[in-house]
Amino acid sequence: MRDTPVYKWYLLGSWALLLPILILVWTMDRSRPYPIWPFLLSVIFCFRGYMEWKYIRETRQHQVSILLAAVSLCFTGLMILILLLKY
């Protein structure tokens, strides 16, 4: 991404998505599981995969980012299911 003209927007979008995670680290109770953590990670991976797919498709790095997003979304769904069954 560093060699593309949209690298500035890529960094800006990455920081905009990372900022809520940093805020949640300091404000949420970490003793309980919250499905928002893996969901926010999957949003970051989706953004990264989209930017890589759109601007550097020939490197095929977007496949790894999209796979990580899918795994993270599955983990989020599993976590929500476990929490629903527990309570």
Side-chain angles (χ1 to χ4, degrees), residues 9-10 17-18 20 30-31 40-41 63 68 73 75-76 81 83 85:
W9 293 108
Y10 172 73
L17 293 172
L18 188 63
R30 283 172 260 149
S31 63
L40 287 175
L41 285 176
Q63 293 174 346
L68 287 172
L73 281 174
F75 182 73
T76 303
L81 181 67
L83 287 173
L85 292 175

Side-chain angles (χ1 to χ4, degrees), residues 38-79:
F39 177 73
L40 287 175
L41 285 176
S42 64
V43 169
I44 290 174
F45 287 134
C46 284
F47 173 73
R48 180 182 174 130
Y50 170 75
M51 292 295 278
E52 290 172 346
W53 172 76
K54 181 127 172 110
Y55 296 106
I56 55 171
R57 188 180 298 188
E58 64 277 355
T59 63
R60 296 185 179 220
Q61 291 177 356
H62 62 281
Q63 293 174 346
V64 174
S65 297
I66 292 172
L67 181 67
L68 287 172
V71 168
S72 184
L73 281 174
C74 289
F75 182 73
T76 303
L78 182 65
M79 190 174 185

Side-chain angles (χ1 to χ4, degrees), residues 6-35:
V6 294
Y7 182 66
K8 174 177 59 171
W9 293 108
Y10 172 73
L11 285 179
L12 185 65
S14 296
W15 277 105
L17 293 172
L18 188 63
L19 198 60
I21 291 177
L22 294 175
I23 290 170
L24 286 175
V25 165
W26 286 296
T27 59
M28 288 183 80
D29 179 24
R30 283 172 260 149
S31 63
R32 292 185 42 190
Y34 289 103

